[in-house]
Amino acid sequence: MKRSRKITKEEREILMHMQLRSKLSLLVLFYIFGLILPFLTCMVITLNFRFFYLLVVALFLLFIIVYLIPKFERNNYEKSDIRCFDSIVVSSKAHDLYYYVCEINGQDGVFIDHRYPVNTKLEKNTEVIVVMVEGSKKYKDYIILDKETKKVLSDYRTRFDLIDC
């Protein structure tokens, strides 16, 4: 069994400077605005602003989900005790237009039954550092770093994310 260790200062700096994205894809955001925009249009046309507070609450919740939650996650990277372990890539295949999925070995040596989106195609048996941001049981929140170059390989974009924020 591979031993987990605390992340180093260099790895923490990499986590602090990586690009954080909301968990919502751009398609979901368009869908939410597609529901809010007709509501706003009807209020403006009829000049009936009785339910304007619902629009304000919806926009406030959207602001929290898209902007504040990733900022709080960044603060979590600064202060918390984050653990990581060294692993190897079991397989890597093309998945969508511009990202790949890979499977990695877990701490017990058996591959984790979860595919991680990565931004480059990885060779089999490539050594990576797996950062357990939310703990060892939350597989989907693992962040994968290249062991040699210390670059972030994890990529949470979807094909609908057209803009790099």
Side-chain angles (χ1 to χ4, degrees):
M1 183 167 168
K2 296 176 185 159
R3 298 193 44 95
S4 65
R5 60 177 171 83
K6 289 184 180 180
I7 61 172
T8 62
K9 285 187 178 184
E10 181 184 5
E11 292 165 349
R12 187 177 301 275
E13 285 298 317
I14 292 169
L15 288 178
M16 291 299 297
H17 295 300
M18 76 176 201
Q19 189 173 11
L20 289 177
R21 291 186 176 87
S22 171
K23 303 286 184 198
L24 298 177
S25 68
L26 198 59
L27 182 67
V28 172
L29 293 176
F30 281 145
Y31 180 74
I32 291 171
F33 278 117
L35 294 175
I36 292 175
L37 190 62
F39 186 65
L40 177 67
T41 306
C42 289
M43 280 195 297
V44 170
I45 290 173
T46 61
L47 298 175
N48 185 0
F49 295 102
R50 272 190 293 183
F51 300 108
F52 184 71
Y53 64 91
L54 287 176
L55 179 72
V56 171
V57 168
L59 289 175
F60 181 71
L61 287 175
L62 191 64
F63 173 74
I64 288 174
I65 291 170
V66 171
Y67 184 73
L68 290 181
I69 290 177
K71 291 295 182 186
F72 288 138
E73 285 180 5
R74 178 162 288 166
N75 289 342
N76 188 23
Y77 295 161
E78 273 183 28
K79 299 175 184 168
S80 69
D81 179 29
I82 300 173
R83 308 216 33 106
C84 66
F85 64 93
D86 297 333
S87 183
I88 60 170
V89 175
V90 176
S91 70
S92 178
K93 332 175 203 182
H95 183 264
D96 211 341
L97 293 176
Y98 58 87
Y99 72 91
Y100 301 91
V101 291
C102 74
E103 294 174 340
I104 58 172
N105 274 342
Q107 285 185 307
D108 54 0
V110 179
F111 82 94
I112 299 172
D113 192 22
H114 188 80
R115 292 184 174 91
Y116 297 95
V118 293
N119 53 13
T120 58
K121 183 161 176 65
L122 300 173
E123 297 293 325
K124 189 175 179 181
N125 295 328
T126 303
E127 293 186 4
V128 293
I129 298 171
V130 181
V131 180
M132 301 179 286
V133 179
E134 298 290 329
S136 62
K137 300 295 181 191
K138 299 208 177 185
Y139 298 130
K140 66 179 180 135
D141 292 328
Y142 285 177
I143 297 175
I144 300 172
L145 304 173
D146 190 4
K147 193 169 185 174
E148 295 172 5
T149 61
K150 301 285 189 191
K151 286 191 174 183
V152 177
L153 298 175
S154 297
D155 196 355
Y156 293 109
R157 290 184 291 182
T158 65
R159 66 183 135 169
F160 303 108
D161 291 330
L162 304 175
I163 304 168
D164 265 342
C165 300

